[in-house]
């Protein structure tokens, strides 16, 4: 996709879409995982759809708008507004006021976004409602939807959703239900479940784990000093060839047990650290989002759409991370990822109450979230699966470049793999590109073979 692509978008006035039928008026507290400071923002996503000649005469904006009213009968808390009770406790007042819907037209064709659309997308601000201008998540709509019709007959579905209400699996569950209603279903296949009390602090709360992810640090980060205009966005594709190469840089005992996520995270963290030029003694961290749904006993009920996630952190001195072979970073990442247990999650919920719902620490930290299995690409509003479905940008928050979302992707060669958007200062991006190129090329020899030494194992440094 040409990053220089520009186009004009004509928007109609935003309207509120309320539930199509009367819904309960009540207060519904969020969980103590939901309402932490680090989730008090609007996350954004895109879904790109091709023209379907069989849908001639059907307006996707009208279809989706009508379906929104119907699905909000089942997901009625989303039509409400957030309030804050004592102790910074967030609750949804189910007012039935509705969500914001914007209808738009763009003078661009889907094919102009490239054969395989992927972040960074051009003119993002024209395809999403500017929820960030609200300045707060309180007393505001929880969901903003924009449907932009394209010249070719395709369309782009853009959304911003208050992250305290749901995580990535929850968003996919909601969008899947919206798609079902758009295709004529009377009710969602998976009924939504609130039950936020399942992830609520104990009384009295007890912090039973060490949680460095919430330990404040006064350290400064080079990412906070770079003007946005000097930042460069680029996406990196990890298909079968790239994963095979990364696996060969791992020590033999870790090769069969390391997931694609672990291999990519270890290599990207290591390469990003080198690219940003941290001092050898600086502590650098990688914070990753772990879905706790499959880690609980008993598991959360089917249909639960709240946040069920944790932010375990891996840390190292920058110098050691760069000097050591990839296996060192891999070991640190695997250990942190395995730390998330039932008791760990309960300890996080208790910590939120004890410490006033803090933000996770971000100094010298890189956050990664794997949404490859969430199912964004399968959302179908009646025009089939999208050619892209997933996050709208590389990361979130006030500082660009601190986070990356891993998404499923099929490249222009038809290869399936994982796409990692990256945002870095220009010179750092070039260094990062070189580091990753060295790690994603098949090594000329086994770095862990009998003749290998430490220098050989530190490929790329």
């Amino acid at each position: 996709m040409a990053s220089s692509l520009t186009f004009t978008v004509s928007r109609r006035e935003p309207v509120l879409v309320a539930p199509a039928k009367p819904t309960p008026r009540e207060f519904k507290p969020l969980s103590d995982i939901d309402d932490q400071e680090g989730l008090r923002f609007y996350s954004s996503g895109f879904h790109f759809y091709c023209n379907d000649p069989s849908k001639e005469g059907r307006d996707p904006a009208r279809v989706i708008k009508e379906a929104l009213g119907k699905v909000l009968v089942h997901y009625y808390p989303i039509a409400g507004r957030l309030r804050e009770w004592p102790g910074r406790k967030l609750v949804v007042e189910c007012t039935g006021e509705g969500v914001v819907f914007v209808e738009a037209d763009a003078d661009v064709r889907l094919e102009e976004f490239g054969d395989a659309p992927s972040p960074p997308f051009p003119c993002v601000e024209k395809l999403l409602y500017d929820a960030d201008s609200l300045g707060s998540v309180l007393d505001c709509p929880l969901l903003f939807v924009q449907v932009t019709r394209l010249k070719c007959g395709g369309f782009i579905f853009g959304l911003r959703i208050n992250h305290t209400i749901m995580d990535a699996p929850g968003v996919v569950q909601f969008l899947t239900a919206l798609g079902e209603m758009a295709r004529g279903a009377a009710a969602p296949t998976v009924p939504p479940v609130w039950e936020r009390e399942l992830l609520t602090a104990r009384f009295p709360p007890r912090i039973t784990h060490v949680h460095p992810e919430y330990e404040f640090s006064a350290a400064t980060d080079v990412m906070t000093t770079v003007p946005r205009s000097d930042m460069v966005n680029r996406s990196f594709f990890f298909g079968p060839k790239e994963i095979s190469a990364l696996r060969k840089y791992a020590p033999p005992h870790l090769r069969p047990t390391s997931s694609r996520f672990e291999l990519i995270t270890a290599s990207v963290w290591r390469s990003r650290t080198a690219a940003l030029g941290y001092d050898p003694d600086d502590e650098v961290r990688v914070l990753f989002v772990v879905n706790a749904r499959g880690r609980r006993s008993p598991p959360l009920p089917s249909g639960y759409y709240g946040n069920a996630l944790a932010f375990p952190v891996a840390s190292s001195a920058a110098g050691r991370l760069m000097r050591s072979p990839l296996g060192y970073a891999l070991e640190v990442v695997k250990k942190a990822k395995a730390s998330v247990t039932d008791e760990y999650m309960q300890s996080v919920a208790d910590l939120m109450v004890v410490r006033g719902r803090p933000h996770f620490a971000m100094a010298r930290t890189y956050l990664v979230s794997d949404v490859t299995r969430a199912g964004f690409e399968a959302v179908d509003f009646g025009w089939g699966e999208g050619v892209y479905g997933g996050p709208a940008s590389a990361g979130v928050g006030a500082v660009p470049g601190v986070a990356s979302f891993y998404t499923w992707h099929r490249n222009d060669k038809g290869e399936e793999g994982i796409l990692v958007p990256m945002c870095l200062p220009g010179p750092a991006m070039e260094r990062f590109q070189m580091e990753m190129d060295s790690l994603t090329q098949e090594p000329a020899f086994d770095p862990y073979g009998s003749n290998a030494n430490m220098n050989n194992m530190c490929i790329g440094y």
Side-chain angles (χ1 to χ4, degrees):
M1 179 193 67
S3 58
S4 59
L5 176 65
T6 60
F7 50 87
T8 300
V9 174
S10 175
R11 288 189 178 110
R12 295 190 182 180
E13 285 297 313
V15 297
L16 283 176
V17 177
K21 297 179 181 179
T23 54
R25 297 297 191 263
E26 58 188 350
F27 287 92
K28 299 184 81 67
L30 297 182
S31 80
D32 290 315
I33 299 297
D34 288 324
D35 61 9
Q36 56 186 291
E37 184 64 36
L39 299 180
R40 297 185 182 204
F41 70 96
Y42 289 89
S43 61
S44 57
F46 281 139
H47 297 258
F48 287 65
Y49 294 93
C50 296
N51 177 40
D52 183 349
S54 70
K55 299 297 186 295
E56 185 70 30
R58 296 199 74 197
D59 178 5
R62 181 182 59 80
V63 170
I64 292 172
K65 181 181 177 183
E66 290 181 1
L68 262 176
K70 295 175 182 177
V71 79
L72 287 174
V73 174
H74 305 273
Y75 285 85
Y76 64 89
I78 299 176
R81 301 292 184 265
L82 277 185
R83 314 299 186 205
E84 191 172 67
W85 284 355
R88 303 188 71 229
K89 182 66 191 172
L90 292 183
V91 301
V92 177
E93 182 179 359
C94 300
T95 62
E97 291 174 73
V99 304
V100 174
F101 182 83
V102 180
E103 184 177 342
D105 293 277
D107 61 349
V108 67
R109 305 175 69 86
L110 183 59
E111 53 264 33
E112 294 180 67
F113 288 87
D115 294 333
S118 62
F121 297 109
C123 305
V124 168
E125 70 284 353
K126 298 179 182 179
L127 301 170
L128 291 168
Y129 186 93
D130 184 18
D132 293 336
S133 64
L134 299 174
S136 173
V137 297
L138 299 177
D139 308 321
C140 297
L142 300 176
L143 172 66
F144 299 82
V145 170
Q146 179 172 323
V147 177
T148 306
R149 293 176 291 255
L150 307 177
K151 287 173 62 177
C152 58
F155 67 96
I156 298 172
F157 176 94
L159 84 158
R160 291 190 188 273
I161 180 77
N162 188 311
H163 205 323
T164 63
I165 299 301
M166 58 182 75
D167 57 11
V171 171
V172 172
Q173 179 183 312
F174 172 74
L175 292 180
T176 299
L178 176 60
E180 290 174 337
M181 307 298 271
R183 302 196 309 273
T189 299
V190 179
V193 173
W194 186 260
E195 294 188 19
R196 305 297 170 107
E197 67 276 6
L198 295 173
L199 290 173
T200 296
R202 293 170 286 214
F203 185 79
R206 303 192 310 275
I207 302 174
T208 56
H209 280 60
V210 176
H211 294 284
E213 63 269 34
Y214 296 104
E215 295 297 333
F216 174 76
S217 171
T220 58
D221 194 318
V222 63
M223 298 294 283
T224 65
T225 64
V226 180
R228 286 178 179 264
S229 58
D230 293 341
M231 300 295 284
V232 174
N233 288 277
R234 195 173 295 172
S235 289
F236 294 82
F237 179 73
F238 295 84
K241 177 176 70 69
E242 290 79 12
I243 296 297
S244 175
L246 291 181
R247 204 172 293 281
K248 289 180 181 177
Y249 284 114
H253 72 284
L254 293 182
R255 292 174 187 173
T257 62
S258 297
S259 67
R260 293 186 302 172
F261 170 81
E262 291 163 347
L263 288 164
I264 293 172
T265 299
S267 61
V268 169
W269 177 38
R270 189 166 172 261
S271 298
R272 183 180 181 274
T273 298
L276 287 172
Y278 291 111
D279 290 337
D281 292 334
D282 285 345
E283 182 193 16
V284 293
R285 302 157 22 122
V286 59
L287 194 76
F288 35 89
V289 179
V290 171
N291 182 357
R293 282 171 170 77
R295 296 167 179 259
R296 291 181 56 82
S297 180
L300 293 170
S302 174
Y304 185 89
Y305 62 100
N307 290 279
L309 48 79
F311 299 101
V313 63
S315 64
S316 172
R320 183 178 181 186
L321 182 66
M322 292 183 288
R323 289 192 306 268
S324 301
L326 184 62
Y328 167 71
L330 194 55
E331 291 269 22
V332 175
V333 165
K334 289 170 73 71
K335 180 179 179 181
K337 183 181 172 185
S339 67
V340 178
T341 61
D342 275 4
E343 181 56 34
Y344 179 97
M345 288 294 296
Q346 186 63 62
S347 181
V348 171
D350 292 357
L351 179 148
M352 290 298 139
V353 172
V354 171
R355 298 188 185 174
R357 312 183 194 283
H359 199 294
F360 46 80
M362 292 304 298
R364 298 174 186 156
T365 298
Y366 175 51
L367 187 150
V368 298
S369 178
D370 181 6
V371 296
T372 56
R373 299 181 183 179
F376 284 108
E377 69 284 348
V379 173
D380 180 2
F381 298 115
W383 279 258
E385 293 188 0
V387 296
Y388 174 81
S393 61
V396 297
V399 181
V402 300
S404 290
F405 292 99
Y406 299 177
T407 58
W408 176 91
H409 186 67
R410 181 183 289 112
N411 66 13
D412 53 11
K413 299 177 183 177
E415 299 172 327
E416 295 185 359
I418 295 174
L419 195 73
V420 179
M422 181 62 62
C423 181
L424 289 170
M429 182 63 81
E430 297 309 311
R431 175 74 188 276
F432 180 82
Q433 178 79 64
M434 290 190 294
E435 300 290 346
M436 291 309 305
D437 285 347
S438 70
L439 282 172
T440 54
Q441 299 295 321
E442 288 284 340
F445 56 89
D446 186 343
Y448 290 86
S450 59
N451 295 322
N453 57 36
M454 181 59 72
N455 290 330
N456 289 336
M457 290 190 284
C458 296
I459 301 297
Y461 295 91

